Amino acid sequence: MVSFNFTPTQPDEQLFTDLQKLNAFPQEMLAEFIDMLMGHLIDGTDLVAQVSSFSQSHSINEARLKNTVKALLFFVKGSMRANCTFKQVGEDLLNFGVNKEQVRIIALKYRDSFLSFSRSVIGQALQINEVLDMEWRFGVVAANKEIASVGASFLQLRLVLDKGNRKETVHMELSLPQFYQFLSEMEKAKSHMDYF
């Protein structure tokens, strides 16, 4: 069984079939196709209209193309989530049975779009989940049925998030190790935002 970089689980056989359809694309058409998908992921352009236009201009059956679009979007999003390098993307595509010429085109387009895509994702996440207010309380467990938890420290957080069209209040209670892990993740997120 082949292991993949973009997902910890074994992909469905249909994904193999749909991605292998990329082998039938001429190089120029594949480059245009990948640019269209990356443009959608970065700018949020209307993919349905673009796929329709692409299929008409290249005389491709739109219904058949949709499965390849879905498969490639699934693969690229998974690769982004797993923070795959363009070499890892190439390895995964080769494992799916995509030809080397097609792999080279896709991997290079992925590499060229990676930074823009990352900025787009971070910008969308920050817009949707902006923290408006935060309150915290620190405490120590004084009494409990379980004697082992007496004396344990905890932190209670109340976050008010802007979810775009509404505000949401989120309550969290964290143990001290969970708080330090949360703090570490927030520092990583801040360093990523500062980088971009």
Side-chain angles (χ1 to χ4, degrees), residues 42-115:
I42 293 167
D43 303 329
T45 54
D46 183 13
L47 187 60
V48 174
Q50 285 186 326
V51 168
S52 178
S53 173
F54 181 85
S55 62
Q56 287 175 0
S57 66
H58 294 287
S59 302
I60 299 173
N61 183 334
E62 187 176 343
R64 290 186 182 167
L65 188 61
K66 283 182 182 178
N67 289 335
T68 305
V69 169
K70 288 178 188 176
L72 200 52
L73 283 175
F74 177 77
F75 173 73
V76 170
K77 286 179 180 179
S79 298
M80 292 301 236
R81 256 185 251 112
N83 204 24
C84 293
T85 65
F86 80 100
K87 288 181 182 179
Q88 291 171 322
V89 166
E91 290 171 10
D92 283 353
L93 288 169
L94 287 172
N95 289 336
F96 275 116
V98 179
N99 294 339
K100 285 184 181 180
E101 297 81 25
Q102 271 68 0
V103 167
R104 186 181 59 77
I105 292 169
I106 296 167
L108 290 175
K109 294 285 185 182
Y110 175 88
R111 181 194 68 191
D112 295 344
S113 301
F114 186 81
L115 187 60

Side-chain angles (χ1 to χ4, degrees), residues 23-39:
N23 292 331
F25 283 59
Q27 291 184 359
E28 297 82 25
M29 190 168 81
L30 180 62
E32 182 184 341
F33 182 67
I34 300 302
D35 285 338
M36 176 186 70
L37 290 178
M38 291 301 182

